[in-house]
Amino acid sequence: MNPKIQDYLHTNREAHLKELTEFLSIPSISALPEHKDDVRRAADWTAQALENIGMENVKVYETNGHPVVYGDWLKAEGKPTVLIYGHYDVQPVDPLHLWDSPPFQAEVRDEKLYARGASDDKGQTFMHLKAIQAVLETTGTLPVNFKFCIEGEEEIGSPNLPLFTEENKDLLAADVLVISDTGMIEKGKPTICYGLRGLCGLQIDVRGAKSDLHSGLYGGGVQNAIHALVDIVNSFHNENAEITVEGFYDKVLPLTDEEKEAYAALNFDEETVKQELSVSDLYGEKGYTYLERTWVRPTLEVNGIYGGFQGEGIKTVLPAEAHAKITCRLVPNQDPEEIVELLQKHIKAHTPPGVEVTTKLFDKGAPFLTPFDHPAIQAAGRAYEKVYEVPTSYTRGGGSIPIVAAFDQILNVPIVLMGFGLPTENFHAPNEHFHLENFDKGMLTLCHYWYELEKSI
C-alpha cells in the first residue's frame, strides 16, 4: 500500500472529524415519524458525500419507507467488485437526561467521539467513504471496484431493503459484500464475525374450559391450562439441555477443527461470565463450551409465559388459558420455515388431553455463514493484523441481523463483517461513543484490505 495514503489520513484527520460531526448532527431517527424529514436529509447528505469522494451514478432510491442511497466506482477493469453496506439512520435518544452532552452535537472527550450514531453506524459507514477517498486522491485510482448501498431503515428492521435488493440484484451484484456495523471483541483486538444465527419463533396458546373454574369444585377433574402448557414446555429439552424436537438438529453443520482452534485461541474465561451475570453456574447443551453454545449451536428458549391469576394473594382457580412465547436461534443450514413446522408438529404431539392448542408465528430470519477460510475473510484478517499488530480473532455472532441473511440469500455473495466498534460504546443507549483509536486504525485497515482483496479474489 502506498505510504502516501497513511499520510493523507493523518493530515486530514481533523477535517474528517469535522465532516463526521456534521453528519452526526442530523437526527435521522427512523423509528419516529416526526423525524421523517431528518432521515431524508441524512440520505441526501450521504449521496452528496459519495459524490464528493468521486463515486459515480449516485442516486437516492425511493422505497415504501426511507430511501436507499447508491453510488459506484467501476473503473478497475478485471478487478473484483466490493459492495459496501451501511445505514444512516439512528436509534431514538431517550432517556435524554442520561446523556452527558447533546446527542446530536458531537463532542470529543478522552479520545472518544460522543454522539448518537457515532458507532452505530454513521461513524463506521463514514470511515469507508474517507478510506476510499484517501486511496483515490493519493493514487488516482482504486485497486478494486466499489458499490455502495446505504439505507435508512436498519434500526427498524430494514423492512423495505429485501424487496429493493431483489428488484435491483444486477445493480448490487458484487464479488464480496463488506459491512462495518459490528464490533471488535475487545479493545485492541481486531475481530471478524463470519457467521450469525438466524431466528424463528411462535406463541403457544393453550385453551381449556370455557372460563376459569373454581379449584375446589373442579380441581382434579378438569385439565389445568397452565399444567398443560408446562408439560409442553418441559418436552422441548432433555436432562442434557438438548432440544428434543424431532429433526431439529438434522441439518446443523459441525464445527471444523480450524474453528475450534480459533475459539480456543480467544482464551475465553467462563468464570468471568458467571461473575458478571451473578449466576452460580452456566447452562447449556452438554459437550459444548459456552462460546460454542452461544455462537454455533441452535437454541430453543421460552421468552415469556403467562396465565391464571396474577394479583396479590391467592385466587383458587383452574386457569382456562395459558400462553408462552418461544424463539429459536438457528445456525447455518437450518431453515426457519422448516424449524417452525417441526415445532408445531412437536407441540401437537405433546399436547395433553383436555385442552386445545394453537400457535401464532413471529418474524423469521435465516442464519448466515461465510466459510472461515474464504479468501475474502482471510484477506480481512491480514489487513487488521498489519495495522493492529496482533492476531485477528474470528468469531460468530449469537444474535441475528436479518438483512445480512437476506443479502446472503438474494445476492449469493460472501459477506465480511469488519467491525470497529467496541462492546462498551453504548450503541442504542445514552452516551453512545466511538473510540477514535479505531477511527484512525479502522480507516487504515480498510485501505490495506482493498489491496489485499485485489490479490486474493
Side-chain angles (χ1 to χ4, degrees):
M1 190 183 77
N2 193 321
K4 291 182 179 179
I5 296 171
Q6 186 169 359
D7 292 339
Y8 177 94
L9 290 171
H10 178 74
T11 302
N12 288 278
R13 184 181 194 254
E14 293 308 311
H16 291 164
L17 286 175
K18 183 178 179 180
E19 191 175 345
L20 176 55
T21 296
E22 180 185 311
F23 192 21
L24 294 170
S25 73
I26 305 173
S28 49
I29 305 171
S30 54
L32 301 179
E34 60 266 32
H35 285 282
K36 181 178 180 181
D37 290 344
D38 294 317
V39 178
R40 161 64 67 166
R41 192 153 55 96
D44 292 339
W45 191 98
T46 302
Q48 186 60 59
L50 286 173
E51 290 185 353
N52 291 346
I53 68 168
M55 296 299 103
E56 301 175 340
N57 302 308
V58 175
K59 183 175 179 179
V60 177
Y61 283 85
E62 301 301 329
T63 71
N64 290 328
H66 299 303
V68 173
V69 182
Y70 174 85
D72 62 36
W73 188 94
L74 305 174
K75 298 179 181 179
E77 188 175 348
K79 301 295 184 180
T81 297
V82 178
L83 174 63
I84 296 173
Y85 164 83
H87 63 93
Y88 60 81
D89 65 319
V90 299
Q91 281 278 319
V93 298
D94 55 301
L96 189 59
H97 71 277
L98 294 181
W99 286 80
D100 294 331
S101 55
F104 295 109
Q105 295 178 25
E107 182 176 300
V108 176
R109 301 193 299 272
D110 301 322
E111 278 299 286
K112 303 170 189 172
L113 181 65
Y114 285 82
R116 174 59 87 226
S119 179
D120 179 24
D121 178 45
K122 285 181 177 177
Q124 297 200 61
T125 298
F126 180 82
M127 288 164 60
H128 279 280
L129 274 63
K130 295 296 111 176
I132 287 174
Q133 183 180 25
V135 176
L136 194 54
E137 292 201 5
T138 55
T139 69
T141 188
L142 296 170
V144 294
N145 298 293
F146 288 96
K147 296 180 178 180
F148 281 89
C149 176
I150 305 175
E151 68 155 325
E153 296 186 322
E154 194 275 344
E155 300 294 5
I156 54 173
S158 304
N160 293 292
L161 192 56
L163 178 60
F164 175 85
T165 304
E166 188 71 53
E167 292 177 344
N168 294 276
K169 283 195 286 189
D170 291 340
L171 181 73
L172 300 177
D175 297 295
V176 61
L177 170 61
V178 177
I179 301 176
S180 295
D181 192 18
T182 53
M184 297 162 56
I185 197 166
E186 63 183 61
K187 190 176 188 297
K189 201 162 189 176
T191 307
I192 295 174
C193 177
Y194 64 96
L196 297 168
R197 293 196 288 191
L199 181 70
C200 72
L202 50 79
Q203 179 171 309
I204 304 172
D205 299 308
V206 178
R207 184 80 194 187
K210 63 181 180 180
S211 65
D212 288 356
L213 301 175
H214 190 293
S215 68
L217 296 178
Y218 296 97
V222 178
Q223 179 66 271
N224 183 317
I226 291 180
H227 292 181
L229 178 59
V230 170
D231 284 348
I232 294 170
V233 169
N234 281 343
S235 75
F236 287 135
H237 297 86
N238 63 20
E239 64 276 9
N240 293 323
E242 296 165 336
I243 296 165
T244 55
V245 175
E246 187 174 353
F248 189 87
Y249 292 113
D250 284 358
K251 296 183 179 179
V252 174
L253 295 176
L255 268 179
T256 66
D257 291 340
E258 290 80 9
E259 287 175 304
K260 290 181 180 179
E261 290 172 6
Y263 299 168
L266 297 175
N267 295 316
F268 186 80
D269 184 5
E270 296 189 2
E271 287 297 322
T272 299
V273 177
K274 289 193 285 188
Q275 293 173 13
E276 289 177 349
L277 301 180
S278 296
V279 295
S280 58
D281 289 290
L282 298 177
Y283 167 85
E285 191 180 358
K286 188 175 181 180
Y288 296 92
T289 67
Y290 177 83
L291 289 184
E292 291 169 348
R293 292 168 182 166
T294 56
W295 286 356
V296 303
R297 296 299 292 171
T299 67
L300 191 163
E301 300 286 357
V302 180
N303 307 120
I305 190 165
Y306 54 100
F309 179 62
Q310 305 291 317
E312 285 190 33
I314 191 168
K315 184 180 182 183
T316 54
V317 296
L318 267 67
E321 58 183 75
H323 313 270
K325 297 179 186 291
I326 307 293
T327 55
C328 298
R329 296 290 177 173
L330 308 179
V331 296
N333 277 23
Q334 286 187 303
D335 180 354
E337 300 281 354
E338 183 178 333
I339 294 298
V340 164
E341 290 179 6
L342 294 176
L343 287 173
Q344 291 173 318
K345 184 178 179 181
H346 179 95
I347 291 166
K348 184 177 180 179
H350 289 80
T351 296
V355 296
E356 293 182 358
V357 175
T358 57
T359 56
K360 298 176 185 175
L361 304 186
F362 299 146
D363 290 342
K364 297 179 287 293
F368 126 83
L369 178 72
T370 295
F372 175 77
D373 57 356
H374 192 283
I377 294 284
Q378 294 301 313
R382 292 193 298 274
Y384 271 122
E385 289 170 7
K386 285 182 178 179
V387 177
Y388 285 85
E389 298 181 334
V390 297
T392 300
S393 297
Y394 296 91
T395 71
R396 291 205 214 174
S400 307
I401 306 177
I403 192 55
V404 175
F407 278 137
D408 184 40
Q409 293 177 325
I410 297 169
L411 298 178
N412 190 28
V413 62
I415 301 173
V416 182
L417 301 180
M418 288 185 76
F420 298 96
L422 293 177
T424 57
E425 289 180 337
N426 288 14
F427 43 88
H428 292 209
N431 296 315
E432 178 181 350
H433 57 278
F434 190 40
H435 284 68
L436 293 183
E437 174 189 11
N438 291 328
F439 179 75
D440 298 330
K441 290 185 175 181
M443 283 190 289
L444 195 57
T445 299
L446 291 172
C447 293
H448 276 289
Y449 185 40
W450 309 139
Y451 287 96
E452 288 289 337
L453 270 183
E454 179 190 18
K455 300 179 291 186
S456 301
I457 63 173

